[in-house]
Amino acid sequence: GRPGLIIFNSSTRGLYGRGAGPADAEMLLAEGSAVSLANRATYVPYFYSRDGYAVLGHSNVTHFNMMAVRYQSFPEQGRIAWAFEGAFQLHFMLAPSLAEGTKAYYALTGRPPVPPRHAFGFMACRWGWPNQRYLEETVQRFREGHFPLDSVILDFEWFANSSDYAFTEQGEAWYEDFGWNPELFPSPAQQLKTYLLDQQLFVAGIRKPRLGNRQLLHLAKERKWIAPEGGPETYAKGRWLRFSDPTMQRWYAQQMQHYVDSGISFWWND
């Protein structure tokens, strides 16, 4: 889309609510935001100003993990500038406090759903659950030691016996993107039922937004489901899925349904 610029007056020396990443997680105030979503970092097109208002911007143009929107304050000049591409909307919300600004934001976007209660508990998450015995002994040690544990979150090893980091663009014929690792889950449905009913334990599995199986990659390329190059990731070239495609979304959901039916409670979307 064509670039655009909006500038308005504001005396604020610092804005709240733009999001954060590892380098600035402890900074409540900021003077700008370039909108993006990445592993461990989220920056949004929103701020609350102590001048008594909140602002949310939105564009219909994205570049991979970035929305074509950014804002920057110039406190010495008493101005704030929004730069954007494409169709752009700017929503101003009168808000005498940060709490009121948050309420106005939710009224505009919709309230986020409250997670289930177990999501607020302790989750044991790692890469390296080698087999069923190790998983069950670990859970038992938590229970015998009276340590809180609501969920375990499993990495690659729950559905495959290898990671796919070293795969080429063609993938591997033996790799299963939607299978079970028999070392960890020889009887998936029965195990997951037992963990939930007897141990009150919820189980989650990691999901990667890409494929590693050669046949499935061939199918995805035929149907133009592979994301174009130029995204933020520097590995797994030619294997990232284009989740903006509704047909691909439906296909992916169909591949995942048997996990839900077997008792997987939620996903670690990596």
Side-chain angles (χ1 to χ4, degrees):
R2 296 178 61 184
L5 183 68
I6 294 176
I7 301 175
F8 57 87
N9 295 331
S10 178
S11 62
T12 299
R13 291 178 175 270
L15 308 169
Y16 294 92
R18 63 103 181 249
D24 56 9
E26 297 181 359
M27 295 173 57
L28 295 180
L29 292 170
E31 293 187 350
S33 178
V35 181
S36 64
L37 175 66
N39 195 354
R40 302 188 298 156
T42 300
Y43 296 94
V44 296
Y46 168 86
F47 67 77
Y48 171 76
S49 166
R50 285 179 291 187
D51 285 348
Y53 69 95
V55 180
L56 174 68
H58 181 268
S59 167
N60 66 342
V61 175
T62 58
H63 301 294
F64 296 99
N65 65 320
M66 302 184 70
M67 182 185 286
V69 175
R70 66 170 57 226
Y71 66 81
Q72 181 68 42
S73 66
F74 301 91
E76 300 301 325
Q77 302 173 25
R79 293 179 177 179
I80 295 177
W82 286 77
F84 58 89
E85 296 177 33
F88 183 66
Q89 296 179 341
L90 199 58
H91 302 267
F92 287 83
M93 298 160 273
L94 294 176
S97 68
L98 179 59
E100 291 298 321
T102 303
K103 288 181 181 178
Y105 178 85
Y106 287 158
L108 183 63
T109 65
R111 290 177 176 270
V114 178
R117 190 162 75 170
H118 69 82
F120 294 94
F122 182 79
M123 303 178 180
C125 177
R126 63 165 298 181
W127 183 0
W129 304 85
N131 52 50
Q132 178 185 5
R133 178 180 176 181
Y134 176 84
L135 170 61
E136 295 178 355
E137 287 181 350
T138 300
V139 174
Q140 190 61 33
R141 289 175 66 187
F142 269 89
R143 294 293 183 243
E144 290 175 353
H146 303 286
F147 301 113
L149 179 67
D150 285 84
S151 305
V152 295
I153 304 178
L154 314 173
D155 210 300
F156 278 103
E157 63 275 356
W158 79 278
F159 71 92
N161 59 7
S162 169
S163 73
D164 70 339
Y165 289 119
F167 290 5
T168 66
E169 188 172 347
Q170 287 70 42
E172 296 289 345
W174 53 266
Y175 190 78
E176 290 193 39
D177 292 287
F178 302 103
W180 297 93
N181 180 357
E183 294 294 322
L184 194 61
F185 285 106
S187 304
Q190 183 57 50
Q191 286 175 247
L192 292 168
K193 182 179 179 181
T194 299
Y195 299 156
L196 185 60
L197 297 181
D198 295 351
Q199 297 278 15
Q200 294 75 54
L201 185 74
F202 296 84
V203 177
I206 198 170
R207 287 283 78 186
K208 306 280 186 176
R210 60 180 185 263
L211 296 172
N213 177 270
R214 181 169 298 172
Q215 289 77 18
L216 292 183
L217 279 167
H218 180 73
L219 172 69
K221 290 171 183 175
E222 277 190 335
R223 299 185 180 181
K224 302 187 185 328
W225 289 347
I226 299 298
E229 294 186 18
E233 303 292 1
T234 57
Y235 60 97
K237 178 182 177 182
R239 299 195 285 113
W240 301 98
L241 290 169
R242 189 160 58 90
F243 276 89
S244 58
D245 187 313
T247 305
M248 200 289 297
Q249 293 176 16
R250 289 191 291 271
W251 174 85
Y252 194 88
Q254 291 169 359
Q255 313 313 305
M256 297 283 280
Q257 186 60 48
H258 75 102
Y259 291 136
V260 178
D261 295 340
S262 295
I264 291 291
S265 296
F266 59 103
W267 310 112
W268 168 12
N269 288 317
D270 199 22

